[in-house]
Amino acid sequence: MFSTILIANRGEIACRIIRTCRRLGIRSVAVHSDADRDALHVRLADIAVRIGPAPARDSYLRADRIIEAALATSAQAIHPGYGFLSERLDLIAACEANGITFVGPSSAAIDAMGDKIRSKQIARDAGVPGVPGYDGADQSPEVLRAEALRVGLPVMVKASAGGGGKGIRKVEDVSELDGAILAAAREAQAAFGDGRLLIEKFVTRPRHVEVQVAGDRHGHLVHLFERDCSVQRANQKLIEEAPAPNLMPETRAALHDYALRLSRAISYDNLGTVEFLVDAQSEAVFFLEMNTRLQVEHPVTETITGLDLVEWQIRIAAGEALPLRQDQITCSGHAIEARLTAERADEGFRPDTGRIALWSEPEGLRVDSGVATGSIVSTHYDSLLAKVIAHAPDREGALRALGEGLRRMVVLGPGTIRPFLIDALRQPAFTEGGATTLFLKETWPDGWQQAGADVAELRAVAAALWLATGDGCGAPAAGAGPWRALAGFRLLSPAGRPATTHLSVSLAGDTARLRVESRGGVLRVLGPDGACDVTVARALDNTDWAVQCGGVGSAAKAVRDRDGLLLRYRDFEGPVGIALAAEAAAATRTKSSDSGGTLRAAMPGTVVAIHVAEGDSVVEGQVLAVLESMKLFMDLKSPASGTISRVAIRAGVTVAAGEVLIAIEPDAHQP
């Protein structure tokens, strides 16, 4: 067994591997970029080594720096986690050259399955059915177009070397085909250095079901049952469960058989996952791909089997045989996992960044997280913050436990998809076990939006808490107005609090002016929707509050920030913009001076391409630049027709949400 293992990853998976190393008595080595110097995985590991600047290409994707760190710390093995270098042959070659064990399958197995075109050919030879399509060598746009039409729309245009939802486009109309081919190839080249594509027939109502397999270097091979991962957005999984619900016994058996056939064909020798599409109506099974690494969703398999899959990986890499035979592996109960990402689901799953002001995990559930209160969520890496896993004797119990756990979880700071996950878990298509990969589109055809809250009540509570969190004695923060400076002045209220405060409160894109009057411990908040009496009192610490609004009591969590308040109150969790009315009016005047022809960053990220120069003529809707955030690419389009008057950024720079990128002088005939 190894005495020291270096984890070539970050975030929740690095923390997850560290926990197993600690239990096995193995010293763990973390690596980190400059952006992650204070990250949770760095604090948990026995040793931490800096490997470069924030961008992944200069740190976590540098195999040479990973090897240097391993040699400097006498690490005998490297665990790559998932993503980054987990399926990169250059890291394995470097490990072999330096006498370091790679915790993963052989380079031959990774090479065989790393290319989607080749993997489909191997699967066919092994008797594993695939989706009809094209995976030929001729990659000219003309041939790809012709093959897509031959297969018949709708089709999926997919990167051959891809993964994680990159380089994938669904095409339903012939007018979209040429653009999809060019865009998928461009994204694949940028993400993987390989722009080759394949065409697959789109299965009309597909479920995404995968089988966990494990093999050792002594010829033993087993499956660890299957998982359903059909709830996805942009081809990235959001909710996973094991075992897959509502499958016929013969379909379940076929999935296990096909996964083992393919794994035997490549002499697979570690943990891996074989992914399939299952037609929701006929239950026909089609091979998709094999991921030759640990999967993000591995905890649901661990939960139903009672096994530690990271321990299995380490023991297999150390040369040990599989600890169990197939007939010794059992499935107990049901497990469901929700991925908590730093995204705004109500804004098309736009990535969000910033400092986590408050992180509180629910008791009674497994939470694999890579962050804590104070952690910084940056644009440089994936948006995944944590995975919340519930297990119960049956699916209904697991579903109920997960929903309740997500309701109790609190994350203040960057927006997360927690409200969306709660909503998704109670939709009939999911509760009945019938979700397909079309779940989001069919359930929310116009995009997910949170159910309407009582905006007037939220404004009143936020205003009261903003005043109460000012300095610990009920007064606004320093600099919040002249009354704050007059601690001994009394006017119908205790010293330190003004009798009346005028606030501007922004919520859900709407701004209202409020008047707050102090009346003997009760704050009367008057706004456009009437008056509400609010009382607030600390319940536990500086973030926990007991609130009474209109005579009804509720718990709240609140943290001040520079723009107002980060608030959790009933079903609402997010930022509320609050300022003294005079200050807010000045800021509004400044913002309104912007030209109507300004292109701003829709989200924080890195500018990867600029398609125009100063002096160019553009039309409304034309793509001017491409922004990457948390491995997602967004085309930024011109808000108006006109002439480029200024390009304020260059490719490769990181920008904040709302930052001015390009200025356009609108055509004279435009309003």
Side-chain angles (χ1 to χ4, degrees):
M1 181 52 69
F2 311 110
S3 60
T4 304
I5 293 179
L6 181 143
I7 298 115
N9 217 298
R10 63 176 301 280
E12 65 86 16
I13 187 57
C15 296
R16 162 73 189 88
I17 297 166
I18 289 169
R19 285 197 296 272
T20 290
C21 287
R22 184 176 294 168
R23 185 173 60 78
L24 296 177
I26 299 171
R27 186 175 67 158
S28 60
V29 179
V31 295
H32 67 88
S33 68
D34 290 340
D36 278 343
R37 63 180 177 272
D38 298 319
L40 185 60
H41 75 281
V42 173
R43 302 202 302 267
L44 290 178
D46 296 304
I47 303 172
V49 180
R50 176 191 179 273
I51 54 172
R57 64 179 177 273
D58 299 323
S59 51
Y60 295 106
L61 290 174
R62 288 285 299 270
D64 57 337
R65 292 183 179 172
I66 298 293
I67 294 296
E68 289 172 4
L71 294 174
T73 57
S74 301
Q76 301 153 308
I78 292 176
H79 196 306
Y82 51 73
F84 290 139
L85 297 172
S86 61
E87 295 173 286
R88 284 271 293 272
L89 298 178
D90 55 341
L91 177 60
I92 300 176
C95 284
E96 293 172 349
N98 287 276
I100 300 170
T101 300
F102 177 78
V103 181
S106 67
S107 57
I110 291 178
D111 188 37
M113 293 291 106
D115 183 318
K116 286 188 174 65
I117 291 175
R118 185 180 172 201
S119 70
K120 290 180 182 298
Q121 294 167 345
I122 294 172
R124 280 197 296 268
D125 293 342
V128 180
V131 180
Y134 172 75
D135 54 15
D138 192 334
Q139 290 285 300
S140 65
E142 297 78 15
V143 168
L144 291 171
R145 186 180 199 278
E147 289 296 328
L149 295 176
R150 177 188 63 79
V151 171
L153 302 181
V155 297
M156 296 294 286
V157 179
K158 303 176 69 173
S160 175
K166 305 299 181 296
I168 300 179
R169 296 291 188 279
K170 180 187 176 185
V171 182
E172 299 182 90
D173 188 273
V174 67
S175 64
E176 305 168 348
L177 186 54
D178 292 339
I181 290 171
L182 292 175
R186 179 190 67 192
E187 191 168 289
Q189 184 65 42
F192 314 113
D194 184 345
R196 290 177 304 142
L197 303 175
L198 56 90
I199 307 292
E200 288 180 348
K201 178 68 178 176
F202 180 76
V203 180
T204 306
R205 298 198 60 75
R207 293 177 61 181
H208 187 125
V209 184
E210 59 192 31
V211 178
Q212 179 76 67
V213 297
D216 61 24
R217 295 170 184 175
H218 306 278
H220 305 123
L221 187 69
V222 297
H223 72 77
L224 301 172
F225 307 106
E226 78 289 337
R227 303 183 285 253
D228 188 300
C229 311
S230 298
V231 178
Q232 305 176 4
R233 65 103 177 89
N235 299 298
Q236 292 186 318
K237 303 161 187 173
L238 296 175
I239 301 174
E240 304 101 354
E241 59 182 307
N246 298 334
L247 282 181
M248 294 187 295
E250 50 267 36
T251 304
R252 208 179 300 273
L255 286 164
H256 300 163
D257 177 55
Y258 290 149
L260 292 174
R261 280 195 209 180
L262 180 64
S263 301
R264 288 192 192 97
I266 58 172
S267 301
Y268 200 72
D269 59 348
N270 206 270
L271 270 288
T273 301
V274 186
E275 303 195 348
F276 299 91
L277 285 183
V278 177
D279 188 292
Q281 295 165 326
S282 68
E283 293 203 9
V285 174
F286 305 102
F287 168 70
L288 268 182
E289 62 181 338
M290 183 176 190
N291 288 311
T292 51
R293 53 172 168 77
L294 196 67
Q295 291 277 90
V296 178
E297 56 272 21
H298 76 274
V300 291
T301 297
E302 291 185 323
T303 305
I304 63 168
T305 60
L307 304 173
D308 183 332
L309 300 191
V310 174
E311 178 181 349
W312 276 43
Q313 286 189 296
I314 293 171
R315 291 191 180 281
I316 292 167
E320 297 183 17
L322 292 181
L324 298 174
R325 301 186 309 270
Q326 187 69 69
D327 61 0
Q328 295 175 309
I329 302 169
T330 58
C331 174
S332 175
H334 200 95
I336 309 177
E337 169 183 296
R339 299 191 191 187
L340 188 72
T341 59
E343 297 172 324
R344 291 293 304 270
D346 57 342
E347 297 181 17
F349 291 90
R350 172 184 65 80
D352 207 0
T353 59
R355 177 181 174 273
I356 296 177
L358 180 62
W359 177 271
S360 176
E361 298 178 358
E363 296 181 359
L365 297 185
R366 172 175 171 176
V367 180
D368 285 12
S369 62
V371 295
T373 297
S375 293
I376 302 297
V377 180
S378 78
T379 63
H380 297 290
Y381 314 115
D382 189 270
S383 62
L384 180 64
L385 302 179
K387 302 174 304 195
V388 185
I389 306 100
H391 179 247
D394 55 32
R395 187 174 187 268
E396 182 181 354
L399 186 60
R400 187 168 53 250
L402 181 57
E404 178 58 28
L406 287 169
R407 279 186 286 273
R408 287 186 280 111
M409 191 169 193
V410 180
V411 185
L412 294 181
T416 75
I417 64 169
R418 188 191 63 84
F420 160 80
L421 293 169
I422 294 170
D423 198 3
L425 290 174
R426 59 192 178 204
Q427 296 301 315
F430 188 82
T431 60
E432 296 167 8
T436 71
T437 59
L438 303 176
F439 174 73
L440 264 69
K441 181 179 180 180
E442 292 181 342
T443 307
W444 300 283
D446 298 321
W448 181 84
Q449 292 294 320
Q450 190 163 6
D454 186 333
V455 175
E457 181 178 347
L458 278 174
R459 285 196 198 113
V461 169
L465 286 170
W466 187 76
L467 292 170
T469 55
D471 66 356
C473 63
W483 298 114
R484 178 63 182 90
L486 302 176
F489 185 81
R490 293 175 181 267
L491 181 61
L492 303 178
S493 68
R497 171 176 288 167
T500 301
T501 304
H502 295 275
L503 300 177
S504 175
V505 178
S506 299
L507 184 65
D510 182 50
T511 300
R513 181 165 173 153
L514 306 181
R515 186 170 83 252
V516 184
E517 299 174 351
S518 177
R519 300 186 175 189
V522 177
L523 297 179
R524 167 151 287 193
V525 183
L526 300 97
D529 301 304
C532 181
D533 290 339
V534 183
T535 61
V536 296
R538 281 195 179 87
L540 294 174
D541 56 29
N542 288 337
T543 64
D544 289 273
W545 295 84
V547 176
Q548 276 212 347
C549 184
V552 178
S554 297
K557 288 183 179 288
V559 177
R560 265 182 176 253
D561 73 351
R562 63 182 182 181
D563 297 318
L565 195 72
L566 299 169
L567 174 64
R568 171 70 176 276
Y569 178 71
R570 297 186 181 171
D571 290 335
F572 176 83
E573 182 175 86
V576 182
I578 305 178
L580 291 176
E583 295 173 1
T588 300
R589 286 194 296 272
T590 301
K591 187 173 182 180
S592 66
S593 65
D594 281 353
S595 166
T598 299
L599 178 68
R600 296 176 178 271
M603 59 186 181
T606 301
V607 178
V608 296
I610 301 173
H611 297 314
V612 293
E614 293 180 5
D616 286 355
S617 295
V618 297
V619 297
E620 184 177 349
Q622 179 179 336
V623 177
L624 306 185
V626 179
L627 189 67
E628 179 188 6
S629 182
M630 297 179 177
K631 300 201 272 187
L632 298 176
F633 290 83
M634 173 181 284
D635 290 337
L636 302 180
K637 299 177 181 179
S638 177
S641 297
T643 303
I644 302 297
S645 59
R646 184 167 68 99
V647 177
I649 39 80
R650 66 181 188 280
V653 302
T654 299
V655 296
E659 185 172 336
V660 175
L661 307 181
I662 297 172
I664 305 105
E665 184 66 35
D667 288 341
H669 65 274
Q670 292 198 83

